[in-house]
Amino acid sequence: MLEARVKQAVVLKKLLDAIKELVSDGNLDCTEEGISLQAMDNSHIALVALKLEASEFDEYRCDRNMPLGVNLASLTKILKCAKDTDVVTLKASDDADALNLIFESPKEDRVGEYEMKLMDIDQEHLGIPDTQYDATVSMSSAEFARICRDLAVLGESVKIECSKEGVTFSADGEVGKGSVLLRQNAGQDRSRVKDEDEVDEDEKLDIKPKTKREARRDPDEDDEDGQRSDVDVKPDIEGEDELQDEEEQEEGEERPKKRKAGGKKDKANKRAKKEDVEEPGVSIILERQVSLTFSLKYLTNFAKSAPLAREVTLHMSNDVPLLVQFEFEQGTLQFFLAPKIADE
Amino acid sequence: MLEARVKQAVVLKKLLDAIKELVSDGNLDCTEEGISLQAMDNSHIALVALKLEASEFDEYRCDRNMPLGVNLASLTKILKCAKDTDVVTLKASDDADALNLIFESPKEDRVGEYEMKLMDIDQEHLGIPDTQYDATVSMSSAEFARICRDLAVLGESVKIECSKEGVTFSADGEVGKGSVLLRQNAGQDRSRVKDEDEVDEDEKLDIKPKTKREARRDPDEDDEDGQRSDVDVKPDIEGEDELQDEEEQEEGEERPKKRKAGGKKDKANKRAKKEDVEEPGVSIILERQVSLTFSLKYLTNFAKSAPLAREVTLHMSNDVPLLVQFEFEQGTLQFFLAPKIADE
DNA sequence: AATCAGGATT
DNA sequence: AATCCTGATT
């Protein structure tokens, strides 16, 4: 038995818009922790991993793990029947061959009940390596989308170079070539480009990811968050909690930073209400310079998630798949893409 | 000789948009009363009946009855040459083989004169039975359009069920199934769901239908309304006037309603100006529960009239054609559609 | 019918 | 910036 309530249908709509062009079918894996979906894209090149946290649902109940095989095009169609502000309740009985979706207007004078047929999908379970990334770039998701769109005009690939200077996206082709340099400008104490020692410290402390994670969730869940991001879409909760505690105990100096992060959360909330104009700054955590080339086709697809989150984080190490991560109120959406090998 | 002036071309444009996909050609029947058009749709399944009231034209003159056979695609093309705010004057001489359209900008600094060739159309004259409907649902036309569009994703037919609970639209197909329940919420004294006795009372008093009719026309015309809708598009003018007078004399109590109607009209005008956000509530008058199935293809076509009127009224009786009625400032647009026989 | 692009609107 | 509405296109 699954019963999950989302306050605003628009979140699910944006999610589906974000992934439906990459993945046609997938299992919504429903567990006590929440709902996750993990799938290779249709051409089996990119990996999409979505996690919706149980705690972030308006109401959540899942008695036992159940994979709900959904056709994302069908789900998109049905979600189109909801108004953006509708309250959505997802329901599935334990042996269901259908997912029930209930759309209720805020005034409760309109109730839509939809039933979507489910399918059996062989879950190729994908282990995502727990990578320590050499470079982590946080930036405005809208800016990321813009850059991908812009450079896609010029060529099929983009080279992303991350150094102390900032991050550079460059592409070239028939028409000509172009590059966009983003300097760090987060307007924070860590906004300047760090030198190696400082970087190491930041990496060790894992400040930056935490800041982002904390932006929308309890600090105590940071590491669960981290695992979700870096290890597996279906992590073991107990193990994570332990890891979390360890880290917190090991590094007492994290606490002040955590509070700082808390401050950021408030700021982010305020922004969401009245400062939408203010774009998130660019911040870079660099352990090692990276230079990687990716298919713009995929990146532009990933960038379609921009409406979900103001900020996107690019995690990169040389010769390792890129992780593009969007954290939004209800969870996390990740995309993985292997770099092109040569500068083709 | 016909000469009719409409203040805003946009009304005619919306009208044409509303019916041009259903009907390709038709006679504009011009009489002293106004201009009406009645036609089966191209597949001879649905019936479209339009009436533009002489009194609602800015200026109206029609010396003798004349059917102007128009190709609606042509008329649409020509109306596209008018700006929405242009004043439109329709002119036709008695033996005309063409309709003249004059588009004048409000500032009168621009005059467009167009002439559209007319055609001879054998008017298959259609008697519309004067049905007493078991259920009458008034609702936001935009919502009606939305529901039809939404359910059209799922299947070809929609079942409309009207009960004390409210009205339910449901459809199913390959992807799954869906239903939308609208509860009564008119926010009026009659907004709650009535039980049988109350329903009977309301029906007897005919409160609800009058309310609706009064929204845009004089109560005295209620029965003319019925005739226009239910009997003939080309009525004998003299006869009708007599009927009107008779009724006025018969039922003195209608006069106050006339005044009331005027007030309501003003209200509607105000709404158009400042209350566009406020959707009309759902109100249901139910003599008997109904459950009917209709082709969504037709209903979605009918729903294209939504820009004409904030509200739509669905009149239903079991096994009888549905009447979908839009009342707008200048007149009434009605669509009739027979139900599907089985639950196919 | 459905998707996409453009323009208007808030 | 995002949504809505329209027109165009496949």
Side-chain angles (χ1 to χ4, degrees), chain A residues 60-306:
Chain A
Y60 189 84
R61 174 188 161 195
C62 181
D63 301 336
R64 66 182 189 96
N65 295 0
M66 43 203 298
L68 306 177
V70 297
N71 175 278
L72 296 187
S74 300
L75 182 53
T76 303
K77 275 184 186 171
I78 289 182
L79 282 172
K80 288 231 172 90
C81 303
K83 292 184 180 171
D84 283 357
T85 54
D86 280 355
V87 177
V88 178
T89 306
L90 307 175
K91 283 187 188 174
S93 52
D94 278 349
D95 52 353
D97 61 350
L99 173 65
N100 294 301
L101 299 101
I102 298 135
F103 305 144
E104 289 168 289
S105 63
K107 290 181 200 157
E108 302 189 349
D109 53 359
R110 179 180 187 273
V111 181
E113 294 198 33
Y114 295 83
E115 187 177 304
M116 187 183 63
K117 286 174 187 156
L118 295 174
M119 50 203 291
D120 274 326
I121 298 174
D122 271 342
Q123 183 86 341
E124 8 153 15
H125 236 309
L126 308 155
I128 301 170
D130 181 5
T131 311
Q132 285 300 317
Y133 290 97
D134 291 339
T136 298
V137 178
S138 294
M139 60 184 289
S140 152
S141 60
E143 178 125 57
F144 176 63
R146 181 55 134 81
I147 291 170
C148 291
R149 246 188 304 126
D150 287 350
L151 295 182
V153 175
L154 299 173
E156 293 182 348
S157 303
V158 60
K159 183 158 74 180
I160 305 182
E161 291 171 288
C162 206
S163 70
K164 295 175 190 172
E165 313 272 317
V167 57
T168 305
F169 301 81
S170 53
D172 63 287
E174 299 288 304
V175 175
K177 58 185 186 179
S179 75
V180 179
L181 161 67
L182 298 180
R183 294 196 182 86
Q184 278 199 83
N185 66 345
Q188 303 155 8
D189 43 339
R190 289 186 304 281
S191 64
R192 73 209 151 83
V193 177
K194 297 166 196 67
D195 55 39
E196 295 255 283
D197 289 348
E198 287 168 312
V199 167
D200 285 350
E201 190 181 50
D202 279 353
E203 276 299 305
K204 195 175 66 191
L205 298 177
D206 199 17
I207 287 165
K208 203 60 192 170
K210 267 177 189 151
T211 304
K212 262 169 287 138
R213 289 169 201 155
E214 284 165 3
R216 277 119 189 154
R217 20 199 15 261
D218 291 344
D220 292 345
E221 288 174 16
D222 279 351
D223 291 311
E224 181 194 340
D225 222 332
Q227 277 216 354
R228 198 181 59 229
S229 314
D230 303 334
V231 183
D232 197 333
V233 184
K234 275 180 163 179
D236 175 298
I237 310 161
E238 289 309 302
E240 284 190 358
D241 285 343
E242 283 163 22
L243 184 57
Q244 218 176 87
D245 293 345
E246 274 169 35
E247 282 188 10
E248 282 182 15
Q249 284 150 15
E250 276 169 22
E251 309 177 35
E253 72 171 21
E254 253 194 348
R255 300 214 167 270
K257 281 165 192 163
K258 233 167 192 173
R259 281 195 284 277
K260 212 189 247 163
K264 240 197 166 182
K265 181 185 193 169
D266 294 342
K267 206 165 149 192
N269 287 344
K270 273 181 210 153
R271 264 190 227 118
K273 284 167 204 156
K274 61 170 184 176
E275 296 177 40
D276 282 337
V277 188
E278 192 185 306
E279 291 223 324
V282 176
S283 74
I284 300 173
I285 302 157
L286 193 70
E287 188 171 348
R288 199 167 287 119
Q289 288 203 359
V290 295
S291 174
L292 292 155
T293 300
F294 300 100
S295 155
L296 271 168
K297 182 184 143 205
Y298 286 95
L299 294 194
T300 49
N301 255 321
F302 301 168
K304 286 179 183 161
S305 302

Side-chain angles (χ1 to χ4, degrees), chain B residues 144 146 211 284 318 322:
Chain B
F144 176 62
R146 179 58 136 75
T211 304
I284 300 172
N318 288 318
L322 162 74

